[in-house]
Amino acid sequence: MLARLRRVPFAAQVLVALVLGLLLGLVAREIGPVGDGSPNWLTSTLQTIGNTFVTLLKVLVAPLIVTAVIVSIANLKQVSNAARLAGQTLLWFGITALIAVSIGIGLGLLTEPGRNSSVDAAAQAPPSSTGSWFDFLTGLVPGNILGLQAAAHDDGSVGLSFNVLQLIVLAVAIGVAALKVGEPAEPFLAVVRAALAIVQKVLWWVILLAPIGTLGLIGNAVATYGWESLGSLGVFAGAVYAGLALVLFVVYPVLLRAHGLSPLRWFAGAWPAIQLAFVSRSSIGTLPVTERVTEQELGVPRSYASFAVPLGATTKMDGCAAIYPALAAIFVAQFFNVDLSITDYLLIALVSVVGSAATAGVTGAVVMLTLTLSTLGLPLAGVGLLLAIDPILDMGRTAVNVAGQALVPTIVAKREGILDLERFNSGRPAEPLAPVAETGGVDADLRPANA
């Protein structure tokens, strides 16, 4: 039985789990809460399964980022045009973000979501956290060698979490120092490469649980939010998903075709990462799969992909930092009858293109939205209007984020003549893979049977 299950394509397993999760979520919602208003047993079970999967994904993210960035910086010495690649990557991050935010603004002006909403402002809670441009500056400076930060919970306890932006700064500094030290740093780099191989292998084991995690995440979302919450914000939700679809299925294919690449082939290679991002709602948690498909399926050289993909996972957010804040800012302005000028729309574009880096160390598109509203001088209370459907929107936003994180390295590699076109067109490695110790534990394809 287990052997037959392992022969089922990974994407098919996730799709089946998504359908089962949807059905179980509808059943759980039909059962309703227990007498004291707490979730019923089925909702609690789905929630536990989904949260456990996301926690398992995130627990190894910190060592993955540190080791991957250090190794990628060290590997840049093998690339003759490293500075040009880095510049081209950032340039295309900005270009695609500008296109995405333009689509968001256009849809906001076309649909006028704030004037077509029946949501009750008094019934919504204000956001618990906000963003500012100072977050970017303070987030660059590590408070400690591990990039740890503490946060107080409502119950009085204190939790620790990793600041992703600080981890990247630390890893870049260590990687550059290792390059400068030269030969004496080789033993250290050998240890880091071995650690990266181990972390990637453990993370891949966790990713193989994606069908189970999908069942829990989708089931809990349906059971908790249902479709009723979309009623009062239907125009806004529809505009967001229309914008996401335009970027993912129109803009990205046009850019690929303009560079002589097959959009269908690109989607076939990148789809496992896009699919996992949709159900997990975590670009960082999807990072191992994104990096894997970018290298193994799309033909981007490892020395470049190991630099560009981790960077994109924290700063390349066409969904969360471009389309969504543009539409949401227009929604809030229209809801509170605030007229926006041409300057305001230009500010939205600027914040969306540049501001994603300011939220790299903070979780969620809510912080990016508060940053946009603060820059425009719009009421921050407007964020609370959209919190009810944020998890539903976040699935689509994260999928587009991850798609962009795989797209830009592919385009840049093609422009610089380093893309393995044979691998891209075939979807299979052009040469047999090296042993696990040399590849960082990355297997040949994305089917559980080969894990």
Side-chain angles (χ1 to χ4, degrees), residues 219-240:
N220 179 58
V222 173
T224 303
Y225 302 101
W227 312 115
E228 293 85 350
S229 58
L230 286 173
S232 59
L233 294 167
V235 174
F236 175 75
V240 170

Side-chain angles (χ1 to χ4, degrees), residues 110-439:
L110 179 66
T111 61
E112 297 189 330
R115 306 191 197 282
N116 296 283
S117 172
S118 59
V119 66
D120 182 5
Q124 306 299 328
S128 58
S129 60
T130 60
S132 71
W133 291 102
F134 290 106
D135 290 336
F136 177 65
L137 297 177
T138 57
L140 283 174
V141 182
N144 51 75
I145 192 62
L146 297 177
L148 284 170
Q149 58 183 9
H153 299 308
D154 294 336
D155 59 2
S157 62
V158 177
L160 295 176
S161 61
F162 289 99
N163 185 305
V164 175
L165 185 59
Q166 292 181 4
L167 285 176
I168 292 176
V169 171
L170 286 167
V172 168
I174 294 172
V176 172
L179 278 180
K180 294 295 185 181
V181 170
E183 185 65 29
E186 286 303 320
F188 166 76
L189 292 177
V191 172
V192 176
R193 288 190 177 98
L196 175 59
I198 294 171
V199 171
Q200 285 181 321
K201 175 57 69 175
V202 175
L203 269 172
W204 188 246
W205 291 340
V206 174
I207 289 167
L208 292 180
L209 300 175
I212 300 175
T214 298
L215 186 148
L217 289 166
I218 296 298
N220 179 58
V222 173
T224 303
Y225 302 101
W227 312 115
E228 293 85 350
S229 58
L230 286 173
S232 59
L233 294 167
V235 174
F236 175 75
V240 170
Y241 266 95
L244 296 173
L246 284 173
V247 170
L248 183 59
F249 297 116
V250 177
V251 173
Y252 288 174
V254 167
L255 291 176
L256 288 165
R257 182 63 67 186
H259 288 86
L261 298 173
S262 167
L264 290 178
R265 177 58 217 121
W266 182 86
F267 274 110
W271 194 254
I274 298 172
Q275 181 177 250
L276 180 61
F278 182 83
V279 298
S280 68
R281 294 169 50 202
S282 173
S283 295
I284 295 294
T286 312
L287 175 58
V289 179
T290 311
E291 187 170 354
R292 179 171 177 144
V293 299
T294 303
E295 297 172 4
Q296 297 292 331
E297 304 292 334
L298 302 179
V300 178
R302 179 184 300 276
S303 57
Y304 170 53
S306 60
F307 162 78
V309 177
L311 177 66
T314 57
T315 60
K316 175 59 180 165
M317 298 182 286
D318 286 345
C320 289
I323 297 172
Y324 176 75
L327 270 165
I330 293 174
F331 171 89
V332 172
Q334 292 174 347
F335 187 87
F336 289 101
N337 294 314
V338 177
D339 292 327
L340 297 179
S341 64
I342 297 296
T343 303
D344 293 322
Y345 292 119
L346 292 176
L347 277 175
I348 292 175
L350 176 65
V351 173
S352 299
V353 173
V354 180
S356 58
T359 60
V362 191
T363 301
V366 171
V367 176
M368 183 64 202
L369 176 55
T370 60
L371 174 61
T372 306
L373 297 182
S374 298
T375 304
L376 296 174
L378 294 172
L380 290 180
V383 180
L385 301 171
L386 308 175
L387 291 180
I389 61 170
D390 190 72
I392 299 173
L393 301 179
D394 197 32
M395 293 187 290
R397 293 191 311 239
T398 309
V400 172
N401 292 345
V402 168
Q405 293 156 20
L407 175 86
V408 170
T410 305
I411 289 178
V412 173
K414 178 62 166 60
R415 291 174 63 87
E416 296 299 314
I418 60 175
L419 185 69
D420 188 338
L421 291 175
E422 181 181 350
R423 182 177 298 191
F424 178 91
N425 292 324
S426 66
R428 305 296 304 153
E431 299 178 358
L433 288 176
V436 169
E438 297 178 22
T439 65

